Amino acid sequence: MKEVDLLTDLNNPCAFVPTMGALHAGHQSLIRRARELADEVVVSIFVNPLQFENKDDLAKYPSTPKHDSELASEAGATILWRPSYQSIYPGELEKLSSGQIGRSFEGVHRPGHFDGVLTVVNRLFELSRPKYAIFGEKDFQQLFLIKEMAAKLHPEIQIIAAPTIRDNSGLALSSRNVRLSDQGLEGAQVISKVLSASSSESSLTSARQALKQIERQDSFTLDYAEIIDEESFQVADESSIKTRVIIAGWIEGVRLIDNMAMQNSLVRA
Ligand code: PAF
């Protein structure tokens, strides 16, 4: 695996996995998926200040460069790309807009976050020109908005969704989990438990009822819990075909998000 700050001489087709570092087994599964699609696999590490509306969150974002190299190489990356801020944002900053969907759910609690995500992903795509780009389903709203942006600005790139990787307790892997105490990690299990319960219900009404459990947890401060229509990222209704349960909130000052597809594809009240 080569480590570079500027991308040159890429073999095509290439598969691309953008990250902000602090890699874990979830990122490795994205890299392995990329390796199934192409021999050249570029993994970027760039902590994008534009997507942190909270400067404290940016300051606390874990940095594990040596560990990242080991994990990326082990999973099959051929190039580890650590672009400089200057190469990503050379001139005057022109932010992309994530529109109404970017201001809903995560966007309510993290204003401007998705504008920052789309702006950096667009720049990373311009510089890497991959055939495939792989994103985890854990950040489902991000995945939705990136698919929308790529369809408009980079129709030649195939956006590949990869499933969420969970630990043995069901907790979705996230770079933020390292900031939780043992007690916090235990408390966080409630998220996947409630998601499982709600997503296995067979009507929207009963799924929403099951979702209310998350409001009763002392250790978890809820930002939102909802069932969305996967095609539109709006609140699901009786006409929705593919639906997904999404939850976000706080434990020990750490923000956690997760989601699960409804097991019954046709959910009716
Ligand atoms: O999901 C992430 O790690 C980031 O939002 C991404 C896609 C690398 C953009 O900075």
Side-chain angles (χ1 to χ4, degrees):
M1 184 184 77
K2 277 197 296 189
E3 300 205 19
V4 299
D5 51 13
L6 279 178
L7 278 184
T8 49
D9 305 328
L10 274 184
N11 289 320
N12 282 317
C14 116
F16 177 45
V17 181
T19 82
M20 297 203 296
L23 301 190
H24 50 65
H27 296 106
Q28 285 193 302
S29 78
L30 305 183
I31 300 170
R32 292 200 177 97
R33 181 75 185 98
R35 202 51 203 261
E36 288 168 5
L37 299 163
D39 287 337
E40 186 83 293
V41 172
V42 177
V43 175
S44 65
I45 296 185
F46 180 70
V47 183
N48 173 34
L50 250 56
Q51 68 187 75
F52 287 85
E53 69 300 339
N54 175 340
K55 294 297 156 220
D56 195 39
D57 196 24
L58 174 60
K60 285 191 183 143
Y61 205 81
S63 168
T64 55
K66 193 165 168 286
H67 185 68
D68 293 348
S69 302
E70 286 162 8
L71 263 60
S73 164
E74 186 187 283
T78 53
I79 300 182
L80 188 61
W81 175 36
R82 300 180 198 268
S84 64
Y85 181 89
Q86 198 52 35
S87 65
I88 297 292
Y89 300 124
E92 206 177 303
L93 205 57
E94 263 189 54
K95 275 201 203 171
L96 294 188
S97 165
S98 55
Q100 178 269 326
I101 297 175
R103 290 189 295 274
S104 65
F105 299 110
E106 278 302 280
V108 172
H109 301 274
R110 306 191 63 187
H113 168 67
F114 288 121
D115 295 350
V117 170
L118 294 188
T119 303
V120 76
V121 172
N122 175 52
R123 277 298 290 147
L124 293 165
F125 283 176
E126 283 175 353
L127 295 169
S128 60
R129 303 239 153 260
K131 176 160 185 197
Y132 307 99
I134 297 89
F135 294 87
E137 285 186 340
K138 178 175 168 290
D139 296 301
F140 205 77
Q141 193 173 358
Q142 164 172 287
L143 172 65
F144 181 96
L145 288 164
I146 289 173
K147 276 187 186 162
E148 225 184 33
M149 179 276 283
K152 272 190 219 136
L153 303 182
H154 302 276
E156 70 291 355
I157 303 177
Q158 285 181 45
I159 306 299
I160 311 287
T164 302
I165 304 297
R166 300 178 181 280
D167 71 11
N168 291 337
S169 75
L171 177 65
L173 297 193
S174 160
S175 305
R176 291 194 164 88
N177 293 355
V178 294
R179 286 164 52 196
L180 293 172
S181 70
D182 286 349
Q183 205 185 349
L185 285 168
E186 208 182 309
Q189 293 174 20
V190 69
I191 305 170
S192 61
K193 289 204 173 105
V194 172
L195 284 172
S196 292
S198 174
S199 64
S200 47
E201 289 293 336
S202 53
S203 76
L204 272 180
T205 309
S206 53
R208 291 209 163 97
Q209 197 55 40
L211 201 46
K212 282 196 190 304
Q213 275 302 326
I214 198 79
E215 292 167 14
R216 302 191 189 114
Q217 306 300 320
D218 290 342
S219 59
F220 185 69
T221 310
L222 183 68
D223 273 352
Y224 59 81
E226 194 40 275
I227 301 169
I228 54 113
D229 182 317
E230 285 196 16
E231 306 301 325
S232 61
F233 223 96
Q234 305 293 327
V235 173
D237 64 23
E238 297 313 311
S239 67
S240 303
I241 309 285
K242 284 184 87 183
T243 47
R244 192 168 277 259
V245 193
I246 58 174
I247 291 181
W250 298 81
I251 290 188
E252 296 181 332
V254 180
R255 191 150 192 287
L256 299 174
I257 66 172
D258 198 356
N259 64 80
M260 259 180 219
M262 295 286 297
Q263 287 164 26
N264 304 294
S265 54
L266 283 173
V267 180
R268 298 282 179 262

